Amino acid sequence: MRVPIIAGNWKMHTTMYEAEKLVRDMMDVLDKIEGVEKVLCPPFISLAAIGNLLKDSSIKLGAQNMYFEAKGAYTGEISPLMLREWCQFVILGHSERRCYFAETEQMINKKIKSALENDLKPILCVGERLEENEAGRTEEIIAKQINQDLSSIKPTCNMVIAYEPVWAIGTGKAASGEQAAATIKFIRSMLTKLWSEDIAQDLRILYGGSVTSSNIAEFISQPDIDGALVGGASLKAEEFLGIVNQTAIIKGISPSSERYNP
Ligand code: PEP
């Protein structure tokens, strides 16, 4: 059975003080919601402070990026050795890294290998741009990303894939549940070819792109969608709790009796 995941990508938002406040505002309720893996991905500078706040909780930490080398003269970069003291997950290949920081499939592939070697679970983001979607090239683009990003990686379930259509990120225009599920099914079929049917069935695949507490049900009620990578809505405690709580209910795992009631 695939345990659903809701991961919050805070992007370049929150000072350390604001990050701690956001965690304090939701951690007691979030901690008690069962049956969903809950992951917060704050900016690097807040990881240690939040790691200390969450150390006895069921809430996990993720980073938003990392460099693939373990250490060395790479001014300004963060290594997997630094992250693994605090994090279980690391987001890799986010479209904002691809678009604004020129990350190539080869770099993303090296980062995935390095994360896995260092016991970090990559959350690999893939997704097509608007013009590619409109030209009917979604599967072609996703296939290219998956094949290159996972090239020569040993088959593993210790990672998560997030299907994030670029046109849906931060735009308020989410894909439909059916659209997202169809592409996620395609990703599973690729994993079957690339690795095996067992891994394709066990590996968790999320949807990301303008998810809120008002539309999460549409995605999570699709059997192939195992959760969500949430950007903007993860910066509001009530929104994030609403998303996690609905996921626990819809995926059929009874949530905590102290669950969040908006
Ligand atoms: C993201 O940053 O991965 C994301 C999906 O953002 P948003 O939810 O704001 O669209």
Side-chain angles (χ1 to χ4, degrees), residues 180-219:
T183 305
I184 286 175
K185 237 186 178 75
F186 173 72
I187 295 174
R188 272 193 215 290
S189 75
M190 284 209 63
L191 291 173
T192 303
K193 280 192 226 140
L194 196 65
W195 287 347
S196 72
E197 173 67 19
D198 284 353
I199 293 196
Q201 287 311 316
D202 289 350
L203 195 144
R204 291 172 294 176
I205 309 182
L206 317 180
Y207 167 74
S210 297
V211 168
T212 65
S213 65
S214 309
N215 65 16
I216 182 67
E218 181 176 347
F219 300 105

Side-chain angles (χ1 to χ4, degrees), residues 9 11 94 96 164 168-171 208-211 229-233:
N9 173 15
K11 312 194 189 200
H94 192 283
E96 287 152 15
E164 298 211 307
I169 298 180
T171 58
S210 297
V211 168
L229 181 56
V230 184

Side-chain angles (χ1 to χ4, degrees), residues 4 219-227 246-253:
F219 300 105
I220 238 41
S221 53
Q222 297 281 344
D224 262 303
I225 304 185
D226 301 316
Q246 288 183 64
T247 303
I249 294 168
I250 293 168
K251 287 296 186 189
I253 301 131

